[in-house]
Amino acid sequence: DTVATDEIKIGDNDTLGAAVAKIRGADLLVILTQVDGLYNGNPEEDSSAELIHTVLPEEIAHAESVAGDASSDGLGTGGFATKLQAVKLAYSAGIPVVIANGYTRNILNRVLSGEQIGTLFVPPEGTGGTQWLNNHWPVKGRLEVSEKAAERLCDRNTEHLWMEDVARVLGDFHRGDCVALGCNGKLLGRGLVGYDTEVIAQLKGLGSEKVLQSLGPKRYDFQVMDRADLVIYSEPH
């Protein structure tokens, strides 16, 4: 776990772990928590709730739907929903994820030895980087950007999407969801958003200084979409 993170806070340790795994090109991300993995219900309230051992790519949406009923670990800044956001971030780099109980004896050795323990989230074979975003991730909303931003994003391959670039917000989505990008009725691409709908709607069109004033010094990731999590189509359509 990280400590004294006011200057570099991402939001939760799960997201931080997924971001590091993605940057380092990890073969596996292990998230340790207080429960044995993802259940099909809340095991604290329902004795019949069963552990889900494996979640395949096409089952990630169902996993998200049951996460609200699964037990929160009660620790840190996020419960199981934030862990699934971290899973989706790792998925975008083709990294499998295991969520398991950190209080289980020799848990890391057992996970790395291939034992079926915890919940394994399997990304699609052969996917990595933007392939998963482009082909497998359901789109939850749309951001209309300014013409200037559209031109910049299409001409350069290293550009982030900033609050000042956003002109209109459509749909209801959350941080970590896949959202389409458009301009003047044309679809430019898609990417993973760093903020919920309400935040982007409130801050759209504002420059970095005003965004900083609104969000406070604890947030450094002011981009709406990081370039690493953004797909721009070769031809807008």
Side-chain angles (χ1 to χ4, degrees):
D1 281 1
T2 52
V3 296
T5 59
D6 283 354
E7 297 85 359
I8 61 169
K9 188 173 178 67
I10 288 180
D12 58 80
N13 288 326
D14 304 319
T15 303
L16 178 60
V20 172
K22 185 173 181 179
I23 292 170
R24 298 298 298 172
D27 296 321
L28 174 70
L29 171 64
V30 180
I31 297 177
L32 299 180
T33 182
Q34 194 172 315
V35 293
D36 293 333
L38 178 65
Y39 285 80
N40 60 4
N42 189 334
E44 296 178 351
E45 300 176 356
D46 182 2
S47 59
S48 65
E50 297 181 349
L51 179 67
I52 301 173
H53 291 288
T54 304
V55 176
L56 299 177
E58 61 271 20
E59 298 170 334
I60 188 65
H62 175 67
E64 286 186 290
S65 70
V66 302
D69 296 326
S71 174
S72 166
D73 61 17
L75 301 172
T77 57
F80 223 99
T82 65
K83 288 168 176 46
L84 289 185
Q85 295 296 337
V87 168
K88 290 165 67 177
L89 181 57
Y91 262 26
S92 71
I95 300 173
V97 181
V98 171
I99 297 179
N101 195 325
Y103 292 96
T104 301
R105 187 175 179 83
N106 296 324
I107 184 62
L108 288 178
N109 288 335
R110 294 171 67 179
V111 168
L112 295 177
S113 69
E115 180 179 341
Q116 188 182 61
I117 190 168
T119 301
L120 170 64
F121 294 82
V122 183
E125 253 187 80
T127 61
T130 57
Q131 294 182 43
W132 169 254
L133 274 176
N134 209 20
N135 300 317
H136 301 277
W137 212 309
V139 174
K140 297 293 184 66
R142 179 169 174 141
L143 297 177
E144 290 290 319
V145 302
S146 65
E147 291 184 2
K148 181 179 179 181
E151 182 178 351
R152 193 187 75 244
L153 291 168
C154 292
D155 287 345
R156 305 176 189 174
N157 292 322
T158 57
E159 288 292 316
H160 302 304
L161 181 72
W162 304 94
M163 288 291 187
E164 61 186 321
D165 298 327
V166 180
R168 190 181 178 197
V169 183
L170 302 171
D172 183 18
F173 50 82
H174 301 283
R175 180 170 66 93
D177 282 342
C178 184
V179 174
L181 291 178
C183 181
N184 294 333
K186 291 187 176 181
L187 190 61
L188 303 177
R190 58 173 62 181
L192 304 183
V193 288
Y195 298 92
D196 295 349
T197 303
E198 294 79 7
V199 178
I200 300 177
Q202 178 185 355
L203 301 179
K204 63 182 174 62
L206 298 182
S208 297
E209 288 188 8
K210 291 185 177 180
V211 172
L212 175 63
Q213 292 173 3
S214 298
L215 295 179
K218 292 186 178 181
R219 290 300 298 263
Y220 83 98
D221 49 336
F222 296 125
Q223 63 266 27
V224 177
M225 290 183 180
D226 189 281
R227 188 63 186 88
D229 300 321
L230 179 60
V231 177
I232 297 297
Y233 302 140
S234 56
E235 291 291 337
H237 54 277

